[in-house]
Amino acid sequence: ALLVLDTTAPATPSVEIPSMVSQDAVPVTITAVETATLSVYLDGVLAYRAEIDDVSTYQVSLDSEIQNSAFNVLIYLTDSLGNRSAEVTASVYKDTQAPSVTISAALDTLTSQTTTFSVEASEPIYSQPVMTWGAYTWTQTQTLPWSSFEVSLTPTAGVDGSFSLQLSAVADYVGNLCSGSVTVTVDTTAPTQPTMTVSGSPSNTSAQTVTVSAEVGTSVYLYVDSVVDQTNTIGSGGTTALVLTLAEGSHRLETLVVDTAGNRSATSDAVDLEIDLTAPSIASTSSVFTPNAPYLSVAELAGTLSSGNAVLTYTFSETMNVFSAPLVDLSSSATHSSSTSFTDFNTFVVTIDFVADSNGDYSLTLTGFSDYAGNTVDAPSLTWSIDATTPTQPTITVSGSPSNT
């Protein structure tokens, strides 16, 4: 008898198997060059065995209950004599979980300013993102694969409402699909121009209360000389009160409001405010007494005067409030008449008429001179006496006439 010894193992088969799949059935393509028995193992467990023909290609579906994890595949051929080919091994990851995509905006409410949206995926994405905003659809081209990118949008001014930015279905490496969207409010309408009231100008106090009227809920910014000094929120009544501390001098106040979306109103009408903390002073005082003297100083008025007319003139260091007369206290035991008036904005005149032969003591007090800011100053008090009595007629005596001396 003829005995044939065959120890040659079958040729190693050519195997094509994906490294990642998204379904339970794993496609395996096997090409062999001789008749043999094909064995396929999943994680050490025989999953498929069959006889294959010479020079043939086979498609095998391997079912695995493993989810979102890796498993090992082992393949070899055995001939009729039991000779076994070299093993072909591969690791396959089964991914059946769809990725997630999050779209977020920098703000919940958008204005007509350009806004950036961030798009982030939970794993690398292998398809181009297609975006939709209102009636517009476009491809936001990315280098594949991508995990995140940004989209910049500029809402159309005057077109307000609720809008969604949508990402159409995109796929991960094995084809699991996902999509995403975000809804925002578009508000491009600016708040109405605010109004502002202040107690009055000029003012003799540095603490000033400014009342601003504007749309409820807007943020108000109060500018003093072009610099933000105070901020607040307009309350339910449509107003807010802001307290300022201002230095002496001239100041310009302006305000604007910003709504919750960030829209800015037009700037309010400016209010010019004068802070005057300095009391006026009497720069000079003069007096005229007629007919007995053409000019008398205040010091001379304190002396003894005869009957006639006295005019006292007070000149101030600044413009005075001519509508706010000082308190005049002129008292005398003698008969007289008087008048007072501002002759211009910084000159005050007191005129006193003394009745002939009316003797007596006089005192004059002027208090409460006020400038337009409300600062006050008092004039020095004066006292004097009037002696209008003519001396008795004198008599003359001589030793005799004629005289030889």
Side-chain angles (χ1 to χ4, degrees), residues 89-129:
T89 60
S91 178
V92 180
Y93 188 90
K94 183 163 57 171
D95 178 7
T96 60
Q97 182 174 342
S100 61
V101 174
T102 302
I103 304 177
S104 59
L107 299 170
D108 293 333
T109 302
L110 311 185
T111 66
S112 56
Q113 304 297 316
T114 299
T115 300
T116 299
F117 292 80
S118 297
V119 181
E120 295 186 358
S122 60
E123 62 181 273
I125 300 298
Y126 286 80
S127 61
Q128 294 293 349

Side-chain angles (χ1 to χ4, degrees), residues 174-222:
V174 295
N176 296 307
L177 297 176
C178 66
S179 60
S181 67
V182 65
T183 300
V184 294
T185 300
V186 175
D187 177 5
T188 63
T189 303
T192 56
Q193 182 184 35
T195 59
M196 176 174 50
T197 58
V198 190
S199 57
S201 180
S203 174
N204 65 346
T205 177
S206 58
Q208 296 292 316
T209 299
V210 180
T211 301
V212 179
S213 299
E215 290 184 17
V216 174
T218 55
S219 298
V220 58
Y221 296 83
L222 178 61

